Amino acid sequence: MTHRTLPRFSATFDPHTISEIQRAAATGIYDIRGGGAKRRVPHFDDLLFLGASVSRYPLEGYRERCGTDVVLGTRFAREPVRLKIPVTVAGMSFGSLSAQAKEALGRGASAMGTSTTTGDGGMTEEERGHSTTLVYQLLPSRYGMSPDDLRRADAIEVVVGQGAKPGGGGMLLGQKINERVAEMRDLPEGIDQRSACRHPDWTGPDDLEIKIEELREITDWRIPIYVKVGASRPYYDVALAVKSGADVVVLDGMQGGTAATQEVFIEHVGIPTLAAIRPAVKALEDLGMHRKVQLVVSGGIRSGADVAKALALGADAVSIGTAALIALGDNDPALEEEYRALGTTAGAYDDWHEGNDPAGITTQRPELASRLDPVLAGRRLANYLGVLTLEAQTIARACGKSHVHNLEPEDLVALTIEAAAMAGVPLAGTDWIPGRGL
Amino acid sequence: MSYFDLADRPLRELNAALHALPVDTNDTHWNVENPAGRHAIACGLTVPITVDLKGHVGYYCAGMNKDADVTIRGNAGVGVAENMMSGRVTVKGDASQSAGASGRGGLLVIEGNAAARCGISMKGIDIVVKGSVGPMSAFMAQKGNLVVFGDAGEALGDSLYEARLFVRGTVASLGADCVETTMGDDDRAALAAVLDEAGLADPGDFRLYASARSLYHFKVDNLDAY
Ligand SMILES: Cc1cc2nc3c(=O)[nH]c(=O)nc-3n(C[C@H](O)[C@H](O)[C@H](O)COP(=O)(O)O)c2cc1C
């Protein structure tokens, strides 16, 4: 009997890499998918809270108040956005999501006193009707943009970029461009749509300032104007957004989800959420604008611990996309048989661009979309938002804070040198912050 | 008739007054003196009034216009009538970049020339330029008609969807997926309707450029165009 070693997979040419080369060779086109970066990058998991000790005392859970409310847009708007919890629902387009999913997002967010956001496809009645507070995105594509919708919005978000694809435009493949989506976007039905990555009528921060002025004039300086950027050069982007007159900056890290983008873009462009927050906060501090221009952070927020860590690093609120879809029912193991039929498995399903979502969320096929009950799904989202908030409060109380906004970098340490350097907090058990000297 | 002098009173007051007008207002004609290149003049109007701007304007004049008829007696800065919904905007002089950008309806008439990206991303607006248009005009134009009496700059109609581009003069070059095609009855009718609305005669020698529709679906063979 000959002695053979076990088959050994290469770390460089691992099975996924090999399958991607084979796929590329067979099709001649890049891989497109939904979701965010799937590889491991330094993240909130690499941070820990210190909690109270002899020198600081905690608050009593359930008895002593720990506030969670947040006001966004206090700089120029007459009617800033007032939220009960520091977690908002991020912009996800009707088109990428079914009308039922948009309604469910509105219901869930409204039940918890927070906002939802439109997306690259205009405002639907379903989401306006079911969202107490609705943020209206102004994107490069300008699909469905109208002055009436601007005025029915509670805030405007000028989208410069997204964490999943800083520098990229939207994509919506033909399977999802049905009659209603096509009409809202003024496009032919069934085409593979690639939307613009640059705004049609401004380039650069000087123009953006004038664009924001126009939006304020149209809305009579009533509602706040956010600027959303994908995390790449957060210090400069945040500084320029502030200079351009933003009330709020939304900063989306590379783990941030997308409805459809090239895999290579998702995994290789932009920086992790963790690495983006401190430079963004530094820009605000350098301009004397921290807490005056609010910072909303997104990209890979999953738990109340993530919420608390983002706030401790200086964010005013966080925003969720992927987690909200999971709460609605995306990647539900109960649908395993159907995921198998699609060549995937519950927990890994990311072909959101194909429009075959068995959960009825990332689809425009009526027979699939109608599977999602907006009331029940909205309830699940509300439950989940509630848990995020309770968890963040639990941590804040343990750190002795009467409001989640009182969390601070000093409450944190890092588990790895990378995370310590990125977040600007000491490596656990040391007082070493890499990159800050001694 | 209302009279507003931007040399004496702030723009905010003008726009607020225009926005406060009810749809059935009797205050239907506004003369505005000394616009002096200010940005965002008369943007976001939603009532059928006429606004006469006596001079040059800056960026985004008459942006998102709905139902109003705005005349600019001078040149217009970037993004005049951007995202216009309906109504009419007339520029007596020249227009800067991105005139009529992503406009969804109505008529924009530019009596002089328009710079780069005229009609970029247009979604149903009709644009008539009596002079010439700059490069990258009608980039990703989705719907509506762009009528150019003069010449068109480079890369006309790049990544065009269903908008029609009528040009009388020369076209420096066509963008990806934009081709010259022969006019059918529909096209002729569309051209006639736009010119009629603009109050202009058809000299009879426009040529039509439209989408070849070869980029509508991802194909390996289109790699050069992505
Ligand atoms: C299905 C889907 C559609 C999205 N559509 C948009 C969009 O239209 N506009 C936008 O700015 N961001 C869009 N995003 C990004 C989200 O707004 C947000 O930045 C991101 O999901 C946050 O990261 P997370 O998914 O890790 O929570 C989309 C994300 C998803 C998952």
Side-chain angles (χ1 to χ4, degrees):
Chain A
M1 191 180 137
T2 50
H3 288 275
R4 301 172 122 250
T5 52
L6 287 172
R8 182 177 179 186
F9 290 104
S10 163
T12 308
F13 289 88
D14 61 38
H16 182 264
T17 304
I18 290 174
S19 70
E20 169 51 20
I21 294 170
Q22 289 159 343
R23 193 208 56 77
T27 66
I29 190 93
Y30 38 53
D31 190 27
I32 298 171
R33 66 167 175 87
K38 288 194 161 184
R39 58 151 131 192
R40 192 187 137 69
V41 294
H43 197 36
F44 295 119
D45 291 337
D46 303 315
L47 300 182
L48 294 171
F49 281 100
L50 291 174
S53 51
V54 180
S55 59
R56 338 207 145 182
Y57 55 89
L59 299 188
E60 294 288 358
Y62 306 110
R63 281 174 213 95
E64 284 175 312
R65 218 184 109 68
C66 175
T68 60
D69 56 303
V70 47
V71 187
L72 300 174
T74 49
R75 186 183 185 191
F76 291 119
R78 268 187 287 127
E79 295 173 14
V81 163
R82 293 176 193 282
L83 305 175
K84 289 195 183 140
I85 60 171
V87 186
T88 68
V89 176
M92 294 181 273
S93 72
F94 166 68
S96 76
L97 300 186
S98 63
Q100 286 84 341
K102 289 301 281 180
E103 177 182 334
L105 293 173
R107 285 179 180 273
S110 300
M112 293 310 294
T114 190
S115 60
T116 46
T117 313
T118 65
D120 198 9
M123 186 188 285
T124 63
E125 291 309 320
E126 287 92 337
E127 65 185 333
R128 179 60 281 189
H130 292 284
S131 306
T132 317
T133 307
L134 181 61
V135 182
Y136 185 38
Q137 289 195 329
L138 180 97
L139 296 117
S141 70
R142 306 282 165 90
Y143 296 136
M145 173 49 56
S146 96
D148 297 327
D149 287 344
L150 267 184
R151 291 181 175 127
R152 341 197 251 165
D154 300 292
I156 300 166
E157 183 167 297
V158 179
V159 179
V160 177
Q162 243 179 274
K165 47 174 174 180
M171 269 186 174
L172 196 67
L173 300 195
Q175 300 91 310
K176 294 174 84 168
I177 314 235
N178 67 7
E179 199 185 338
R180 182 176 176 199
V181 174
E183 195 190 310
M184 278 183 74
R185 298 182 184 217
D186 295 298
L187 285 172
E189 247 180 274
I191 66 162
D192 290 335
Q193 167 243 299
R194 288 162 299 139
S195 54
C197 61
R198 290 200 304 259
H199 282 261
D201 56 356
W202 65 268
T203 40
D206 297 334
D207 286 3
L208 175 57
E209 184 172 351
I210 306 171
K211 188 75 208 168
I212 289 177
E213 183 192 338
E214 182 207 10
L215 295 171
R216 291 202 191 280
E217 283 295 322
I218 291 176
T219 53
D220 294 300
W221 295 70
R222 189 171 57 82
I223 56 178
I225 298 183
Y226 306 1
V227 171
K228 175 175 179 174
V229 294
S232 55
R233 298 176 186 83
Y235 182 85
Y236 296 104
D237 285 343
V238 169
L240 290 170
V242 171
K243 182 235 162 225
S244 303
D247 291 301
V248 173
V249 180
V250 181
L251 178 67
D252 191 26
M254 77 174 281
Q255 300 100 313
T258 169
T261 301
Q262 298 92 327
E263 152 102 2
V264 72
F265 210 148
I266 299 176
E267 295 285 356
H268 298 279
V269 185
I271 65 171
T273 307
L274 185 70
I277 304 179
R278 290 316 300 274
V281 172
K282 174 111 185 9
L284 292 171
E285 284 169 351
D286 288 353
L287 294 165
M289 291 304 236
H290 190 217
R291 307 287 185 210
K292 296 192 178 101
V293 167
Q294 288 79 33
L295 179 68
V296 178
V297 165
S298 60
I301 301 286
R302 304 150 300 174
S303 66
D306 292 347
V307 177
K309 288 168 187 175
L311 298 186
L313 291 176
D316 294 274
V318 301
S319 194
I320 58 167
T322 305
L325 300 187
I326 295 170
L328 296 189
D330 168 69
N331 269 297
D332 185 345
L335 300 166
E336 181 60 14
E337 218 170 288
E338 295 184 67
Y339 289 126
R340 285 287 159 104
L342 294 170
T344 182
T345 181
Y349 177 61
D350 60 12
D351 289 324
W352 298 345
H353 60 294
E354 288 179 346
N356 298 324
D357 186 354
I361 297 169
T362 58
T363 181
Q364 293 303 322
R365 284 170 52 189
E367 74 279 13
L368 293 176
S370 63
R371 289 181 178 186
L372 189 78
D373 178 339
V375 176
L376 284 179
R379 182 69 244 167
R380 284 193 295 268
L381 175 60
N383 285 343
Y384 171 63
L385 288 168
V387 170
L388 289 182
T389 308
L390 285 171
E391 288 177 345
Q393 281 176 308
T394 302
I395 288 173
R397 282 202 186 90
C399 295
K401 315 292 181 179
S402 59
H403 197 289
V404 288
H405 286 151
N406 296 344
L407 288 164
E408 52 195 333
E410 287 65 28
D411 294 315
L412 291 168
V413 291
L415 282 169
T416 66
I417 294 172
E418 289 84 353
M422 290 178 186
V425 301
L427 188 65
T430 77
D431 44 21
W432 181 41
I433 304 179
R436 295 273 177 91
L438 281 181
Chain B
M1 185 188 298
S2 288
Y3 173 88
F4 199 102
D5 192 343
L6 279 168
D8 298 338
R9 289 156 71 192
L11 174 69
R12 184 76 285 273
E13 262 181 41
L14 172 65
N15 283 337
L18 295 174
H19 294 165
L21 295 171
V23 193
D24 56 356
T25 178
N26 288 336
D27 208 358
T28 54
H29 187 81
W30 289 66
N31 275 327
V32 179
E33 299 286 343
N34 297 304
R38 274 189 190 73
H39 305 310
I41 299 177
C43 57
L45 305 190
T46 49
V47 288
I49 56 170
T50 57
V51 180
D52 207 322
L53 303 166
K54 316 260 186 212
H56 306 308
V57 297
Y59 284 41
Y60 311 131
C61 182
M64 304 211 185
N65 184 60
K66 205 175 137 187
D67 292 340
D69 183 336
V70 179
T71 300
I72 298 151
R73 295 188 189 280
N75 301 327
V78 172
V80 64
E82 65 87 17
N83 212 94
M84 172 152 75
M85 304 296 289
S86 60
R88 177 175 173 142
V89 175
T90 307
V91 183
K92 291 287 180 189
D94 296 324
S96 180
Q97 297 186 55
S98 303
S102 82
R104 298 180 63 197
L107 175 68
L108 168 64
V109 178
I110 297 161
E111 298 195 353
N113 302 302
R117 304 191 192 99
C118 178
I120 182 172
S121 193
M122 57 193 270
K123 296 176 173 59
I125 190 177
D126 292 323
I127 304 178
V128 176
V129 182
K130 286 171 79 177
S132 297
V133 297
M136 293 299 284
S137 286
F139 176 57
M140 293 182 95
Q142 296 173 218
K143 233 189 217 178
N145 301 288
L146 172 65
V147 182
V148 182
F149 277 75
D151 304 328
E154 282 165 12
L156 177 72
D158 195 284
S159 308
L160 191 63
Y161 292 100
E162 294 294 293
R164 294 185 182 94
L165 318 178
F166 300 95
V167 183
R168 247 189 106 203
T170 59
V171 172
S173 67
L174 294 173
D177 213 29
C178 180
V179 290
E180 185 177 348
T181 82
T182 45
M183 272 195 231
D185 291 345
D186 280 8
D187 307 315
R188 257 184 280 278
L191 175 63
V194 175
L195 290 175
D196 186 50
E197 179 78 22
L200 295 167
D202 183 354
D205 50 359
F206 279 103
R207 290 193 290 180
L208 173 64
Y209 303 86
S211 176
R213 299 178 181 150
S214 62
L215 297 181
Y216 277 14
H217 297 278
F218 280 106
K219 281 196 214 106
V220 185
D221 305 335
N222 290 335
L223 228 49
D224 290 351
Y226 295 140

